[in-house]
């Protein structure tokens, strides 16, 4: 394929995964020590941070992030985040965008699996409660943050957490501002309450689906397709750049499918292996930039549903590849099916022909 642009600098592998703390999937800040200049809830916004030079509040400069007062008492500021999708965490992005002279100089993060979820309060009798030596050691491992200039605002931290996480404590040492907290990982759910005869979206973010790779994500990442509800706008979907190898004059075959040399693809792992009974492809918002075709013909700004009879997919699946020709955007992808009793193993059974 023809080169379309310079390659971006290498990024951490965990950016492929889902943001488990984003407000769009139910993430919430449930406690913060100080929110004088800007509330901690801003940390979990879906949108990228912005800066408005003329914006002020009665408390000081308006900032699109979490900013505390200049601390004049012992200790440090911190907040507690309840993940919208509990799961395994692979990495963090602590974004200090636009906090160029007031960013927090150091940060640390603690993780926990709390069931049932707590109702936090620092009031009442706390006799006998104390952090363990291991917890104190963990919180002492601080990481230095870079200021919020565009070339260094993303502070990436790769982690290996082997247990399911429901809550985080973000510690700023000692005070300052942070724009966004992105928590990249894979959701984990309890499948024991799902009946073998119950239809479920096997690919949903909340059910543990995850994007493992893709060919292009110039305007929007493929992981957006497994998000909650319908897409908010074109940014809330997968959209590729226009392929530079498309012919100067487009032609179509006898089925009305464009004759083009290339395609774009995205690979996903299902949250649980299962037998797919229906596929839903939603091109909502993509009215002049939808793909021409994938495994079936698409129409602009339309919700497509393909049932079990038209799919003829019988063996349980654990992964799926979506191919679009030649390029374009898709808002949502749903794989509705039933859980497989065991993970599918390699067999000599012939697989049905499919472009997925």
């Amino acid at each position: 394929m023809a080169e379309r642009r310079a390659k971006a600098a290498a990024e951490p592998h965990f950016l492929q995964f889902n943001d488990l703390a984003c407000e769009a999937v139910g993430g919430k800040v449930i406690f913060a020590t100080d929110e004088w200049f800007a509330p901690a809830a801003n940390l979990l916004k879906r949108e990228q941070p912005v800066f408005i030079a003329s914006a002020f509040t009665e408390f000081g400069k308006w900032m699109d992030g979490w900013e505390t007062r200049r601390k004049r008492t012992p200790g440090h500021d911190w907040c507690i985040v309840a993940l919208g999708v509990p799961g395994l965490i692979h990495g963090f992005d602590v974004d200090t965008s636009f906090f160029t002279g007031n960013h927090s100089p150091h940060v640390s993060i603690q993780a926990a699996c709390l069931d049932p979820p707590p109702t936090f309060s620092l009031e009442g009798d706390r006799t006998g409660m104390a952090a363990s030596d291991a917890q104190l050691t963990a919180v002492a491992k601080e990481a230095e943050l870079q200021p919020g200039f565009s070339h260094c605002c993303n502070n990436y931290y790769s982690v290996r957490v082997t247990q399911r996480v429901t809550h985080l404590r973000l510690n700023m040492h000692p005070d300052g501002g942070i724009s966004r907290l992105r928590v990249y990982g894979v959701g984990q759910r309890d499948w024991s309450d799902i009946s073998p005869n119950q239809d479920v979206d096997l690919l949903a973010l909340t059910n543990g689906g995850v994007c493992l790779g893709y060919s292009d994500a110039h305007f929007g990442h493929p992981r957006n397709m497994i998000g909650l509800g319908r897409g908010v706008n074109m940014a809330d979907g997968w959209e590729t750049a226009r392929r530079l190898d498309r012919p100067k004059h487009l032609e179509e075959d006898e089925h009305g499918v464009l004759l083009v040399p290339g395609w774009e693809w995205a690979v996903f792992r299902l949250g649980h292996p299962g037998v797919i009974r229906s596929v839903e492809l939603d091109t909502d918002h993509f009215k002049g930039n939808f793909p021409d075709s994938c495994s079936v013909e698409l129409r602009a700004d339309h919700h497509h549903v393909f049932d079990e009879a038209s799919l003829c997919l019988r063996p349980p699946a654990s992964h799926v590849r979506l191919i679009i020709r030649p390029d374009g955007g898709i808002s949502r992808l749903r794989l509705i099916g039933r859980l497989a009793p065991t993970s599918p193993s390699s067999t000599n059974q012939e697989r049905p022909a499919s472009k997925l």
Side-chain angles (χ1 to χ4, degrees):
M1 190 178 85
E3 282 291 332
R4 63 162 62 98
R5 58 186 177 275
K7 291 185 177 180
E11 293 182 330
H13 73 284
F14 60 75
L15 296 185
Q16 289 279 99
F17 299 142
N18 307 311
D19 184 357
L20 306 182
C22 182
E23 64 178 8
V25 300
K28 294 181 179 178
V29 175
I30 60 175
F31 179 84
T33 56
D34 188 297
E35 300 173 281
W36 183 267
F37 292 111
N42 288 340
L43 290 168
L44 310 184
K45 285 183 178 179
R46 180 208 303 263
E47 299 79 15
Q48 294 298 316
V50 298
F51 181 77
I52 304 175
S54 60
F56 287 83
T57 73
E58 61 178 305
F59 302 103
K61 180 69 182 74
W62 178 90
M63 293 294 290
D64 189 14
W66 175 34
E67 185 179 5
T68 69
R69 289 172 288 186
R70 302 189 188 213
K71 203 162 188 64
R72 297 298 183 255
T73 58
H76 67 276
D77 287 317
W78 52 276
C79 71
I80 295 177
V81 175
L83 298 183
V85 180
L88 300 179
I89 298 174
H90 291 264
F92 299 100
D93 176 11
V94 183
D95 187 343
T96 57
S97 291
F98 307 115
F99 287 100
T100 56
N102 50 353
H103 72 287
S104 178
H106 296 87
V107 68
S108 64
I109 300 175
Q110 297 165 286
C113 182
L114 305 178
D115 188 17
T119 302
F120 279 100
S121 173
L122 298 184
E123 301 176 353
D125 185 4
R126 296 174 58 80
T127 304
M129 299 180 65
S132 67
D133 291 341
Q135 290 172 329
L136 291 174
T137 300
V139 76
K141 295 180 180 179
E142 305 168 11
E144 183 177 355
L145 289 183
Q146 299 297 316
F149 298 105
S150 60
H151 67 281
C152 62
C153 61
N154 294 105
N155 297 268
Y156 296 125
Y157 304 104
S158 179
V159 298
R160 181 174 175 80
V161 180
T162 59
Q163 295 181 338
R164 183 175 183 263
V165 173
T166 63
H167 292 75
L168 298 173
R169 172 169 154 162
L170 174 64
N171 302 286
M172 293 199 299
H173 302 281
D175 54 35
I178 296 173
S179 295
R180 296 288 188 270
L181 174 65
R182 308 294 189 194
V183 183
Y184 291 101
V186 180
Q188 279 196 334
R189 70 161 298 171
D190 181 6
W191 293 99
S192 62
D193 60 343
I194 302 297
S195 165
N197 297 322
Q198 180 177 345
D199 288 338
V200 63
D201 184 356
L202 300 172
L203 189 57
L205 157 67
T206 52
N207 290 333
V210 63
C211 178
L212 299 180
Y214 58 88
S215 59
D216 183 89
H218 189 82
F219 296 110
H221 199 287
R223 64 167 169 258
N224 293 334
M225 292 190 292
I226 63 175
L228 276 65
R230 299 195 73 184
V232 177
N233 50 39
M234 286 194 302
D236 188 23
W238 176 36
E239 185 180 1
T240 72
R242 302 191 192 208
R243 292 184 63 92
L244 298 183
D245 58 356
R246 61 193 189 280
K248 294 180 180 179
H249 301 281
L250 298 178
E251 299 180 358
E252 62 184 18
D253 63 16
E254 64 275 15
H255 302 293
V257 177
L258 290 180
L259 298 172
V260 291
W263 59 84
E264 305 293 356
W265 56 268
V267 172
F268 295 87
R269 185 178 67 222
L270 277 59
H272 192 289
V275 177
I276 300 172
R277 294 166 57 85
S278 67
V279 175
E280 300 180 15
L281 282 166
D282 191 347
T283 53
D284 191 25
H285 305 298
F286 293 97
K287 300 180 181 181
N289 48 357
F290 60 99
D292 173 68
S293 62
C294 54
S295 60
V296 295
E297 184 176 354
L298 297 181
R299 291 177 300 183
D301 195 29
H302 188 71
H303 190 190
H304 310 265
V305 179
F306 309 100
D307 59 20
E308 186 176 14
S310 63
L311 289 173
C312 298
L313 294 175
R314 290 183 175 83
S318 61
H319 294 70
V320 64
R321 182 170 74 159
L322 173 65
I323 297 173
I324 59 175
R325 290 179 179 271
D327 48 42
I330 294 178
S331 181
R332 290 291 186 267
L333 172 63
R334 308 296 188 201
L335 300 182
I336 310 301
R338 296 180 179 178
L339 304 186
T342 57
S343 298
S345 57
S346 299
T347 66
N348 294 325
Q349 186 176 11
E350 184 178 354
R351 297 183 63 85
S354 173
K355 292 186 179 180
L356 286 179

